[in-house]
Amino acid sequence: MISARDSTTIGRPIDEVFSYVADTTNDPAWHTDFTEVRRRGSQPTQLGTEFDVQIKPFMGQSTGWLKVTGYELNRLLELEGRVGAMEPTLRYTFRTADGGTEVGREEALEPPGLMRLLQPFLRPVFARRNRQFLENLKQVLER
């Protein structure tokens, strides 16, 4: 299993930060792996909402889907899905802190097949990229 966890404080109210992150169609603006995200249906994000995704991470281009599997307004957003051969879990936590919002982001996945052999090399890459995604999110929301 490869996982990375980090957090940052964003100088915006918790309801604004949560609303922005929970609308996964915003991801391409800050998550550099996502090239396109489309919501299935027209309902606002809630437990069970699904998104079709296109990504172009450092390993090549893939398509897939993400589903909201955990949702607590202004506290938690969890998504699970399948993108290419990967089955990622993304978990975001939110809490009021230092006049803004502390956002925690954890990404976990089990590499398939022979990619499991690369786990020791992929762990620091995932950690670095997770930190960068949070910094990108902070920059976008504090503009």
Side-chain angles (χ1 to χ4, degrees):
M1 173 74 68
I2 298 174
S3 66
R5 173 186 278 160
D6 212 328
S7 65
T8 192
T9 300
I10 298 173
R12 306 286 292 187
I14 195 167
D15 58 329
E16 290 179 20
V17 176
F18 181 86
S19 178
Y20 186 83
V21 174
D23 183 356
T24 304
T25 62
N26 290 321
D27 280 18
W30 61 272
H31 191 301
T32 56
D33 287 352
F34 283 82
T35 58
E36 185 177 350
V37 178
R38 289 184 318 272
R39 177 190 317 271
R40 294 181 185 170
S42 59
Q43 295 293 327
T45 302
Q46 58 191 336
L47 200 60
T49 300
E50 295 181 345
F51 299 91
D52 292 310
V53 298
Q54 292 183 9
I55 66 167
K56 187 170 176 40
F58 59 94
M59 298 177 291
Q61 190 163 344
S62 295
T63 59
W65 55 270
L66 293 170
K67 180 178 182 176
V68 177
T69 56
Y71 185 92
E72 294 176 43
L73 184 63
N74 295 341
R75 293 192 57 211
L76 171 76
L77 176 69
E78 187 172 270
L79 301 121
E80 294 180 9
R82 182 163 186 92
V83 182
M86 304 286 192
E87 294 182 1
T89 298
L90 301 168
R91 181 179 178 90
Y92 298 91
T93 56
F94 305 82
R95 73 178 188 89
T96 301
D98 299 324
T101 303
E102 181 182 324
V103 179
R105 183 178 191 276
E106 181 178 0
E107 181 174 5
L109 61 89
E110 182 70 44
L114 293 175
M115 282 190 66
R116 288 188 181 123
L117 299 174
L118 298 176
Q119 287 184 79
F121 304 104
L122 292 175
R123 281 188 183 102
V125 172
F126 267 67
R128 208 170 29 254
R129 291 170 60 78
N130 193 52
R131 181 76 194 144
Q132 186 60 58
F133 297 147
L134 280 172
E135 287 303 314
N136 294 349
L137 177 63
K138 179 179 175 72
Q139 288 177 1
V140 166
L141 287 175
E142 289 184 347
R143 270 190 226 145

